[in-house]
Amino acid sequence: MFQLAESLGFSSVLATVSAGIMLSGEFSHAIKEDHYRESLSGFWGVAEPSLLSLLFLLIGIEATEYFEWNNWFLAILFLFAGIAIRFFIVGGTFKLLDRKKHEAIWKKSLLISWSGIRGSMSVFLLLQLGTMTEVGAADELISLSFSVVILSLIVQSLGIHPLSKLLDSK
């Protein structure tokens, strides 16, 4: 569908999404729906980690030219500001949606906030910004973003297990 739509001058993304919706509708009427769903689940179980690995490999290749940056304090500040903002948004959402008084809301909010998004999409978008602007115009922003993402991968990934154990013991 992607290639056919592309060659006809239509939106290839919308054609692919439409094909997925049509297949989903057909699978729901099929006798072997469970078999199809299981096959799709198996496919995405392989495709998702492969695509993420490729994305992070490409980010690592691109990031090397932006690591000659000396403002790591600012990157650390942005990392923890992002976690704090995420904590207040997640905690506020829990409070709004869960009318009961739970003492563990802050624990859940902290754990979700700490294990949050690592920034692969933001780095991808910033790399696109870097290709659309003049040479060097977005370098400072891209360097800061790469630094925050790398810190996030290291600090949050290494800290999630100890944090969950600490919150579980309280």
Side-chain angles (χ1 to χ4, degrees):
M1 287 305 291
F2 186 93
Q3 293 297 333
L4 179 63
E6 193 72 26
S7 65
L8 295 174
F10 296 113
S11 171
S12 50
V13 173
L14 289 177
T16 306
V17 169
S18 298
I21 291 171
M22 289 173 48
L23 281 175
S24 179
E26 287 299 316
F27 287 161
S28 65
H29 299 334
I31 297 171
K32 298 180 181 181
E33 177 185 358
D34 292 337
H35 171 71
Y36 292 126
R37 299 267 178 217
E38 186 178 310
S39 296
L40 284 175
S41 178
F43 167 76
W44 284 113
V46 172
E48 182 183 13
S50 301
L51 291 173
L52 282 174
S53 296
L54 181 62
L55 175 67
F56 283 113
L57 178 66
L58 292 173
I59 286 173
I61 291 169
E62 281 293 316
T64 55
E65 69 184 73
Y66 294 102
F67 281 143
E68 296 175 9
W69 190 63
N70 295 323
N71 208 345
W72 286 95
F73 177 76
L74 185 62
I76 292 169
L77 183 71
F78 271 60
L79 171 69
F80 286 106
I83 293 170
I85 291 167
R86 197 178 306 135
F87 173 75
F88 288 118
I89 291 172
V90 169
T93 304
F94 273 141
K95 283 281 193 189
L96 284 174
L97 296 178
D98 194 9
R99 301 274 182 210
K100 301 174 211 145
K101 302 288 182 194
H102 286 284
E103 297 169 3
I105 285 179
W106 72 270
K107 289 180 181 181
K108 289 178 186 176
S109 299
L110 183 60
L111 200 58
I112 289 171
S113 300
W114 188 267
S115 62
I117 299 170
R118 302 289 189 260
S120 57
M121 186 55 71
S122 62
V123 169
F124 172 76
L125 292 172
L126 283 168
L127 286 173
Q128 291 301 319
L129 173 71
T131 61
M132 295 185 322
T133 59
E134 296 177 21
V135 176
D139 285 353
E140 202 62 30
L141 186 60
I142 295 171
S143 294
L144 176 63
S145 297
F146 273 130
S147 302
V148 171
V149 168
I150 292 297
L151 286 172
S152 173
L153 286 169
I154 295 168
V155 172
Q156 288 177 264
S157 298
L158 293 176
I160 191 70
H161 183 70
L163 180 64
S164 65
K165 291 290 184 190
L166 179 70
L167 292 176
D168 223 13
S169 67
K170 290 185 178 184

